[in-house]
Amino acid sequence: MSGSTGVRGTPHEIALLGGGPRAAVTVAVVALHLRGAVEAGAPGTLRAVDGEAGRALPALPPPGTPLDVWPADGPGPAEPVTGARRALYLESAVYSCLGEPSEVRELVRHPDVRWAVAEVRVGLAEAGLLRYPLLGPTRAARRRLRVLRKACPVPASRRGLPDHDKLLAVALHGETALRVLVPRFALRAGLTGRVAVTDRGMLRHSPRGGIYGGGGSSSSYYCGGGGGGGGD
């Protein structure tokens, strides 16, 4: 398991270890949104966007078919089942469920998404990061999460972050990262709740660019990443 920042494991896997199925589904949703395949629907819902990004996703196998034998009718052996491949099928499962606007909690319960999350779990268990029979994170997994959260704090801004690093931030920090990286989408789609501000003085005296400073023309880099920015 490897990523462009040198962090072992896909953001989807890291999210599943740290926050369970809903966290992994949230990372998949944000990944699809960043590629233009998913947008907010009616308040608190998500919906698929018909376009090249969605059509590029792999077709889901028939129910009960493990990824290591899919596709069964291909010209050669099935592709190796890597963390990246499992993550792509999780995104495909999420996308396929969004022909009609749905809430995140509905996605998490859908049979196709549950299958895809189970496949991600298989990879984590094979890597020794989930223990049987309860499938909770192992001591090594919890240690890895602590190290990653310390090494990769919440970004001060989305400016200059490549998509992979945005997903890693969401996997590690959940709603806090969503409010920095995709605030409007996350709020409209029901991924985050509204924040009540009780002390208006905090707004008057807080520095521009958020609680971590920044802003202006400077770029933010996350865990060794850099590159183009992106809108919300």
Side-chain angles (χ1 to χ4, degrees):
M1 296 185 291
S2 63
S4 63
T5 57
V7 175
R8 293 184 63 201
T10 66
H12 311 61
E13 292 171 310
I14 292 168
L16 185 57
L17 282 176
R22 181 180 174 114
V25 170
T26 296
V27 167
V29 163
V30 174
L32 291 166
H33 171 67
L34 292 175
R35 299 204 299 273
V38 164
E39 65 184 12
T45 68
L46 301 144
R47 70 178 188 89
V49 176
D50 184 22
E52 290 300 321
R55 289 191 285 270
L57 292 165
L60 297 178
T65 305
L67 277 183
D68 57 3
V69 297
W70 177 255
D73 58 351
E79 298 178 38
V81 185
T82 62
R85 187 163 181 242
R86 289 185 172 102
L88 191 60
Y89 274 91
L90 175 56
E91 292 173 11
S92 182
V94 168
Y95 182 82
S96 70
C97 296
L98 291 175
E100 296 292 334
S102 300
E103 298 179 359
V104 175
R105 61 183 178 181
E106 294 172 323
L107 289 177
V108 175
R109 293 196 299 261
H110 194 282
D112 287 345
V113 174
R114 292 176 63 184
W115 164 82
V117 169
E119 285 288 339
V120 177
R121 278 195 174 113
V122 168
L124 291 170
E126 290 175 347
L129 297 174
L130 285 178
R131 64 179 184 274
Y132 291 105
L134 300 178
L135 295 181
T138 62
R139 183 177 300 176
R142 293 194 298 270
R143 182 168 59 249
R144 178 181 296 184
L145 289 170
R146 288 195 299 270
V147 170
L148 284 174
R149 287 179 179 131
K150 184 176 181 180
C152 305
V154 179
S157 167
R158 65 191 177 195
R159 187 188 301 274
L161 285 183
D163 287 352
H164 180 276
D165 288 0
K166 292 177 183 177
L167 298 179
L168 179 59
V170 171
L172 291 170
H173 303 290
E175 287 195 17
T176 305
L178 288 170
R179 290 190 175 102
V180 173
L181 300 172
V182 284
R184 291 187 294 275
F185 168 72
L187 181 60
R188 292 174 56 206
L191 302 180
T192 59
R194 295 186 180 275
V195 178
V197 178
T198 57
D199 186 353
R200 295 186 180 275
M202 292 176 63
L203 294 178
R204 289 195 300 269
H205 300 294
S206 61
R208 294 184 63 184
I211 61 173
Y212 289 90
S217 60
S218 63
S219 296
S220 300
Y221 295 92
Y222 188 71
C223 225
D232 177 18

